C-alpha cells in the first residue's frame, strides 16, 4: 500500500462517513428558543469533514510520487498478536482475576516479543504483576477484578 | 496579594509531608518515563493520571505537576547519552549534549542540563505564579461569545501540531470534534450517537481516549519497530559540573528560562519550539558560536532552561483560559477536570485553595528535579538500557489497568484499545493524533458557547464580531492561522530543499 492509495481510500471513506453523520444527525432537530439545536454542530462538522476529505482525495490523485508505507511486516504481526493477547487478557481477568491474568499476560507477551531468557520472563512477570496489583488494589484502593473462579477465596 | 497566597500555599504543602512525597514521586516517575525513548511526556502523563484518581486533589495535582516537569527534563538524558531525545522538547539538547557524551563527558552534560532545567523551570514557575492571576482577572469579563472565540483561537493552533500535512491535521481535529458530540447534548439533554449503548451516554471518556491515543498507539508502534531499532548502551562519568562552569552559564540559563516561559505561554508553540528558539538565541549572542554543535555547555544550558521554563509558561493559558498550549497541557487540563476543577478564569475566583498550591508545587517540583536529577542521573541512564521486550509488556499492562481504573469499566478498556488501534493506523497514514486530543478538550467549549451566544443574540451571528474581546480572539485566530501556515510552508520548502540536496549528493 502506498501513500497515494491511502489518501484516496481514507478520503473516500471519510466522505461516506460524513454523509452518514449528516443524515443521522438530522433526527436531533432543534427545539426551544433558537434554531441551533443538537443537530447543528455535528452537521456543521460533517460538512467541513466532507470538504476536507474531498481535499484529501484530490491531493491523493495529484500525488505524482507515491511513498511506500514504512511498515515492518513482522513487527505488524507481533502488534496484531499482542492486540489479540490483550483482548484475551481482558476475558481471562474476569475468569481468574487481575493478578493471575496479569502475570500470564506479561509472560506470554514477552515470549511473543522474543524475550529469550526464561528467568527474566518469570521474574519480570511476577514482580511487575505484584507491584501493579499492590499499588492499585492496596494503595489506590481501586477494586480490581477478583475473577469468578477465585471469588470464594477473597 | 498573590505573594501572600503563594506563601500560604507553601505552608499548606509543607504542613503535610505526603504532599512533598507526591511531588518527589511525580518528578521521579516523570524522569523515568521521559528518559526512555519512545515514551513521551504526554504518554507519561496519560499513563500516570490513573495513579492520582484516589488521591486528594492537591496531592494528585502536585504529582501531575511533578510528572510534567520530570517528563520534560527526563528527555534530555537519553538525548545526551544515546542521541535519541526521550521527548521532542529535548531534541535541541542533543545537538551539543551528544558530542560532549562522545568526549566522555556525558555526566557533565547531564549535570549542566539538570541545573539549567532547575533555573529555567523556576523562572517559568515564578512567571506563571505572578502573571496567571492577572490574565484570569481579565478572563472574568468573558461571556459565551468570548469563550467560543477563545476555543476557535485554541483550535487555530492545530497547524503547529499537524506534523507533515495540514489537511490531515484538520481532518484529525474534525474527527475529534465529532467525537465530542457523542452522548447527551449538554444544552437540550438529547442523547446523540449513543446507538442505545448506556456506556456512551456520558460521551467518550477522556482517560480511555487519552490512553488509546498516546499509550496503546505508541505501544503498537514500539512493538512494530522493535525488530529494527537496535538497543544502544550508554555510559555516564562525573556528574556535577564545577561552580565556575555553572557561574558562567547563569546568564544563558536565566535568559533562556524567561524566553522559554514566554514562548511556552503562546498556545501551539510548546516546549520543543521554546528549546530551539533559546538554542538559536544563545548561539547568536555567544562569544564563540563556532563551538555550538561540538559540545558547548551553553548549547545544553539554553534549550534545557527554555524547555523547562516553557512548562510554567504553557500552564498560563491552560489554567487561566482553559486553552491548552500543547498536548501535554491538554492532558493536564483533562486531569484537572477529572479531579473536579474546570480550568478557566472561574478557577481563580472559586478555587484559590487549588490554584496557589499548583503554583507553589510547580516551584517545589523544580527543587525536587534538581535533587533527584543530580543524585539519580546514573540510575536513570541505566533505565535507558532496559530491554524493550520486558518494558513494552509492562507499559501495555499499565495502559490496560489505567483505562479500567477510571470507571472500573471493561467497556473503557475496549474503547481505549479501539482508539489505540485507530491511532496507530492514523500514524502509519501520517495523520497526527494530537489535534484529536485538542479537539476533545475544546469541542464542548466551542459548541456550548456558540449555541449559548446564538440564544443570547436571538440567532444573530454578528454577536461574535461586535463584542471587542470576542472579535480580537477571532482576529488573532485568523492571524495565527495565516502566520503558522506561512511558517509551515516555509519549513516544508526547507525540508524539501535539504532532501533534494542529500539525494543529489548521494547520486554523486
Amino acid at each position: 500500500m502506498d501513500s497515494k492509495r491511502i489518501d484516496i481510500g481514507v478520503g473516500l471513506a471519510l466522505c461516506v462517513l460524513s454523509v452518514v453523520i449528516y443524515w443521522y444527525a438530522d433526527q436531533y432537530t432543534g427545539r426551544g428558543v433558537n434554531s441551533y439545536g443538537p443537530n447543528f454542530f455535528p452537521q456543521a462538522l460533517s460538512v467541513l469533514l466532507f470538504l476536507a476529505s474531498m481535499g484529501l482525495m484530490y491531493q491523493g490523485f495529484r500525488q505524482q510520487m507515491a511513498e511506500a508505507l514504512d511498515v515492518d511486516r513482522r513487527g505488524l504481526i507481533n502488534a496484531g498478536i499482542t492486540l489479540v493477547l490483550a483482548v484475551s487478557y481482558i476475558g481471562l481477568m474476569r475468569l481468574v482475576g487481575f493478578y493471575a491474568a496479569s502475570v500470564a499476560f506479561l509472560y506470554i507477551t514477552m515470549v511473543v516479543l522474543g524475550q529469550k531468557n526464561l528467568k527474566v520472563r518469570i521474574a519480570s512477570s511476577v514482580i511487575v504483576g505484584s507491584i501493579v496489583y499492590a499499588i492499585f488494589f492496596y494503595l489506590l484502593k481501586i477494586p480490581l477484578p477478583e475473577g469468578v473462579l477465585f471469588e470464594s477465596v477473597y | 496579594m498573590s505573594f501572600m497566597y503563594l506563601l500560604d500555599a507553601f505552608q499548606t504543602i509543607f504542613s503535610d509531608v505526603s504532599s512533598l512525597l507526591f511531588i518527589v514521586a511525580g518528578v521521579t516517575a516523570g524522569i523515568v518515563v521521559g528518559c526512555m525513548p519512545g515514551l513521551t511526556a504526554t504518554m507519561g502523563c496519560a499513563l500516570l493520571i490513573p495513579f492520582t484518581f484516589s488521591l486528594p486533589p492537591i496531592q494528585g495535582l502536585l504529582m501531575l505537576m511533578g510528572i510534567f516537569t520530570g517528563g520534560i527534563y527526563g528527555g534530555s538524558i537519553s538525548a545526551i547519552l544515546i542521541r535519541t531525545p526521550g521527548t521532542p522538547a529535548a531534541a535541541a539538547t542533543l545537538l551539543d549534549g551528544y558530542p560532549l557524551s562522545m568526549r566522555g563527558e556525558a555526566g557533565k552534560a547531564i549535570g549542566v542540563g539538570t541545573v539549567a532545567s532547575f533555573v529555567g523551570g523556576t523562572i517559568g514557575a515564578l512567571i506563571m505564579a505572578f502573571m496567571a492571576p492577572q490574565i484570569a482577572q481579565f478572563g472574568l469579563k468573558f461571556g459565551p461569545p468570548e469563550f467560543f472565540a477563545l476555543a476557535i483561537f485554541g483550535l487555530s493552533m492545530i497547524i503547529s501540531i499537524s506534523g507533515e500535512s495540514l489537511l490531515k491535521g484538520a481532518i484529525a481535529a474534525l474527527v475529534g470534534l465529532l467525537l465530542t458530540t457523542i452522548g447527551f447534548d449538554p444544552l437540550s439533554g438529547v442523547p446523540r450517537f449513543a446507538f442505545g449503548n448506556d456506556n456512551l451516554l456520558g460521551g467518550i471518556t477522556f482517560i480511555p481516549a487519552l490512553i488509546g491515543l498516546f499509550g496503546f498507539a505508541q505501544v503498537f508502534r514500539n512493538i512494530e519497530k522493535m525488530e529494527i531499532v537496535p538497543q544502544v548502551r550508554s555510559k555516564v562519568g562525573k556528574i556535577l559540573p564545577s561552580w565556575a562552569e555553572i557561574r558562567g552559564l547563569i546568564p544563558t540559563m536565566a535568559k533562556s528560562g524567561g524566553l522559554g516561559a514566554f514562548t511556552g505561554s503562546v498556545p501551539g508553540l510548546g516546549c520543543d519550539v521554546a528549546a530551539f528558539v533559546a538554542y538559536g538565541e544563545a548561539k547568536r549572542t555567544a562569544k564563540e558560536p563556532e563551538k555550538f554543535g561540538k559540545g558547548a555547555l551553553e548549547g545544553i544550558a539554553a534549550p534545557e532552561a527554555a524547555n523547562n521554563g516553557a512548562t510554567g509558561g504553557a500552564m498560563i493559558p491552560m489554567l487561566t483560559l482553559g486553552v491548552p498550549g500543547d498536548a501535554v497541557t491538554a492532558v493536564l487540563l483533562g486531569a484537572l477536570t477529572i479531579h473536579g476543577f474546570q480550568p478557566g478564569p472561574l478557577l481563580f475566583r472559586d478555587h484559590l485553595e487549588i490554584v496557589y498550591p499548583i503554583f507553589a508545587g510547580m516551584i517545589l517540583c523544580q527543587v525536587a528535579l534538581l535533587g533527584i536529577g543530580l543524585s539519580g542521573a546514573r540510575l536513570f541512564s541505566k533505565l535507558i538500557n532496559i530491554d524493550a521486550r520486558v518494558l513494552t509488556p509492562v507499559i501495555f499492562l499499565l495502559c490496560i489497568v489505567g483505562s479500567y481504573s477510571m470507571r472500573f469499566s471493561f467497556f473503557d478498556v475496549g474503547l481505549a484499545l479501539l482508539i489505540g488501534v485507530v491511532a496507530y493506523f492514523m500514524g502509519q497514514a501520517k495523520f497526527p493524533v494530537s489535534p484529536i486530543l485538542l479537539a476533545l478538550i475544546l469541542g464542548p467549549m466551542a459548541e456550548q458557547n456558540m449555541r449559548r451566544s446564538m440564544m443570547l443574540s436571538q440567532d444573530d451571528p454578528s454577536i461574535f464580531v461586535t463584542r471587542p474581546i470576542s472579535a480580537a480572539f477571532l482576529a488573532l485566530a485568523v492571524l495565527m492561522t495565516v502566520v503558522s501556515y506561512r511558517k509551515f510552508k516555509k519549513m516544508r520548502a526547507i525540508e524539501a530543499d535539504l532532501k533534494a540536496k542529500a539525494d543529489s549528493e548521494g547520486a554523486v
Side-chain angles (χ1 to χ4, degrees):
Chain A
M1 193 73 114
D2 57 46
S3 58
K4 182 175 178 158
R5 283 185 193 176
I6 288 175
D7 285 359
I8 296 170
V10 172
L12 186 63
L14 287 172
C15 275
V16 174
L17 181 73
S18 54
V19 171
V20 172
I21 292 172
Y22 187 91
W23 167 77
Y24 197 83
D26 210 36
Q27 61 182 298
Y28 313 128
T29 44
R31 280 169 241 158
V33 292
N34 75 359
S35 48
Y36 295 90
N39 61 324
F40 176 75
F41 203 59
Q43 285 190 324
L45 290 173
S46 59
V47 170
L48 290 174
L49 183 63
F50 182 82
L51 295 173
S53 307
M54 292 288 278
L56 187 66
M57 282 170 67
Y58 175 70
Q59 211 176 59
F61 282 119
R62 274 191 56 194
Q63 253 181 54
Q64 306 212 321
M65 288 204 344
E67 270 179 59
L69 264 195
D70 175 29
V71 178
D72 178 60
R73 193 174 284 270
R74 169 92 189 123
L76 191 62
I77 292 170
N78 276 350
I81 295 173
T82 323
L83 177 66
V84 173
L85 280 176
V87 175
S88 318
Y89 165 60
I90 297 167
L92 191 67
M93 210 193 298
R94 290 174 155 175
L95 196 69
V96 299
F98 174 81
Y99 182 72
S102 301
V103 172
F105 171 74
L106 286 168
Y107 184 88
I108 298 170
T109 313
M110 280 180 221
V111 173
V112 170
L113 297 184
Q115 172 54 251
K116 294 202 169 66
N117 192 324
L118 180 72
K119 283 181 193 165
V120 170
R121 286 201 304 253
I122 294 174
S124 316
S125 322
V126 173
I127 293 170
V128 171
S130 308
I131 293 174
V132 172
Y133 183 78
I135 291 177
F136 277 88
F137 191 74
Y138 292 110
L139 198 69
L140 303 177
K141 312 267 184 236
I142 287 172
L144 295 167
E146 294 166 356
V148 286
L149 293 182
F150 296 105
E151 262 174 358
S152 55
V153 178
Y154 291 93
Chain B
M1 194 68 163
S2 309
F3 187 67
M4 292 313 290
Y5 283 132
L6 195 60
L7 284 182
D8 280 347
F10 274 115
Q11 202 177 358
T12 310
I13 295 174
F14 281 117
S15 64
D16 185 358
V17 182
S18 65
S19 299
L20 294 171
L21 286 177
F22 282 111
I23 289 178
V24 171
V27 171
T28 311
I31 298 176
V32 168
V33 174
C35 76
M36 291 185 195
L39 310 186
T40 61
T42 313
M43 184 197 188
C45 285
L47 267 183
L48 297 169
I49 284 176
F51 287 90
T52 70
F53 285 162
S54 58
L55 299 177
I58 290 184
Q59 276 129 345
L61 294 173
L62 289 176
M63 193 168 163
L64 284 171
M65 299 295 118
I67 295 166
F68 181 29
T69 313
I72 297 296
Y73 157 75
S76 68
I77 298 177
S78 54
I80 290 167
L81 291 175
I82 58 169
R83 206 167 180 263
T84 308
T87 56
T93 310
L94 71 81
L95 297 175
D96 282 275
Y98 188 66
L100 259 181
S101 182
M102 294 297 283
R103 294 204 309 242
E105 294 180 279
K108 190 199 274 185
I110 293 175
V112 167
T114 311
V115 176
S117 296
F118 163 72
V119 174
T122 308
I123 291 171
L126 285 170
I127 290 176
M128 170 179 80
F130 291 104
M131 266 190 63
Q134 320 305 326
I135 296 172
Q137 193 68 31
F138 170 66
L140 283 173
K141 294 179 184 145
F142 290 10
E146 285 76 20
F147 277 114
F148 170 71
L150 190 61
I152 296 299
F153 170 64
L155 286 167
S156 70
M157 72 175 193
I158 281 168
I159 291 179
S160 46
I161 53 172
S162 280
E164 287 181 29
S165 164
L166 188 55
L167 188 60
K168 288 182 178 177
I171 288 175
L174 286 167
V175 170
L177 288 171
L178 277 167
L179 285 176
T180 66
T181 62
I182 293 175
F184 284 120
D185 168 38
L187 297 187
S188 66
V190 172
R192 297 181 294 189
F193 305 109
F195 308 106
N197 188 331
D198 290 350
N199 290 299
L200 289 174
L201 285 176
I204 297 281
T205 324
F206 185 70
I207 289 294
L210 189 63
I211 290 180
L213 288 173
F214 294 96
F216 282 124
Q218 187 64 46
V219 168
F220 291 136
R221 272 192 286 275
N222 289 355
I223 292 173
E224 188 218 312
K225 303 285 177 210
M226 201 169 279
E227 298 288 325
I228 36 180
V229 179
Q231 287 239 295
V232 189
R233 297 274 147 188
S234 56
K235 226 175 160 183
V236 180
K238 176 180 167 270
I239 289 166
L240 276 180
S242 68
W243 170 240
E245 282 167 331
I246 293 293
R247 200 174 46 197
L249 292 172
I250 286 175
T252 307
M253 292 178 193
K255 188 174 72 178
S256 305
L259 199 60
F262 172 73
T263 314
S265 68
V266 180
L269 293 187
C271 300
D272 42 350
V273 177
F276 276 107
V277 168
Y279 184 86
E281 179 58 20
K283 188 175 176 183
R284 192 183 67 80
T285 54
K287 283 178 192 152
E288 298 169 299
E290 66 282 359
K291 284 192 176 172
F292 275 67
K294 295 170 190 161
L297 290 178
E298 290 100 321
I300 299 166
E304 278 307 297
N307 64 26
N308 272 65
T311 56
M315 297 279 285
I316 297 175
M318 189 274 274
L319 282 174
T320 57
L321 303 173
V323 175
D326 54 15
V328 197
T329 40
V331 175
L332 289 177
L333 192 151
L336 270 163
T337 317
I338 288 165
H339 281 280
F341 304 102
Q342 186 58 50
L346 294 181
L347 186 74
F348 284 72
R349 195 190 67 187
D350 302 336
H351 293 290
L352 280 179
E353 80 286 0
I354 281 293
V355 170
Y356 279 90
I358 289 179
F359 295 156
M362 199 71 182
I363 294 168
L364 290 174
C365 282
Q366 313 306 324
V367 180
L369 186 146
L370 182 68
I372 297 166
L374 289 178
S375 58
R378 253 176 254 283
L379 182 70
F380 295 129
S381 67
K382 287 203 171 76
L383 289 175
I384 298 169
N385 300 328
I386 287 184
D387 190 348
R389 289 173 176 81
V390 175
L391 186 65
T392 308
V394 175
I395 296 165
F396 208 139
L397 179 74
L398 286 177
C399 288
I400 292 172
V401 186
S403 42
Y404 170 83
S405 55
M406 172 85 191
R407 298 194 300 181
F408 318 132
S409 157
F410 284 107
F411 176 83
D412 284 353
V413 182
L415 181 69
L417 266 172
L418 178 68
I419 293 175
V421 172
V422 173
Y424 166 74
F425 282 109
M426 279 178 70
Q428 296 293 4
K430 304 229 162 72
F431 279 86
V433 292
S434 293
I436 297 185
L437 178 66
L438 196 70
L440 286 176
I441 299 276
L442 295 174
M445 182 172 165
E447 181 183 12
Q448 288 172 38
N449 288 297
M450 190 278 289
R451 285 167 60 195
R452 281 199 185 113
S453 307
M454 296 307 275
M455 278 182 202
L456 279 175
S457 67
Q458 294 176 331
D459 290 355
D460 179 7
S462 69
I463 190 171
F464 298 114
V465 287
T466 49
R467 293 173 58 132
I469 299 175
S470 162
F473 274 123
L474 289 176
L476 269 176
V478 173
L479 186 73
M480 190 152 173
T481 309
V482 173
V483 171
S484 305
Y485 181 71
R486 290 180 65 166
K487 207 192 273 173
F488 181 84
K489 287 298 244 187
K490 208 172 157 185
M491 290 295 287
R492 290 284 87 88
I494 291 170
E495 273 173 27
D497 227 34
L498 286 172
K499 204 177 165 193
K501 253 185 207 167
D503 286 348
S504 64
E505 275 168 20
V508 173

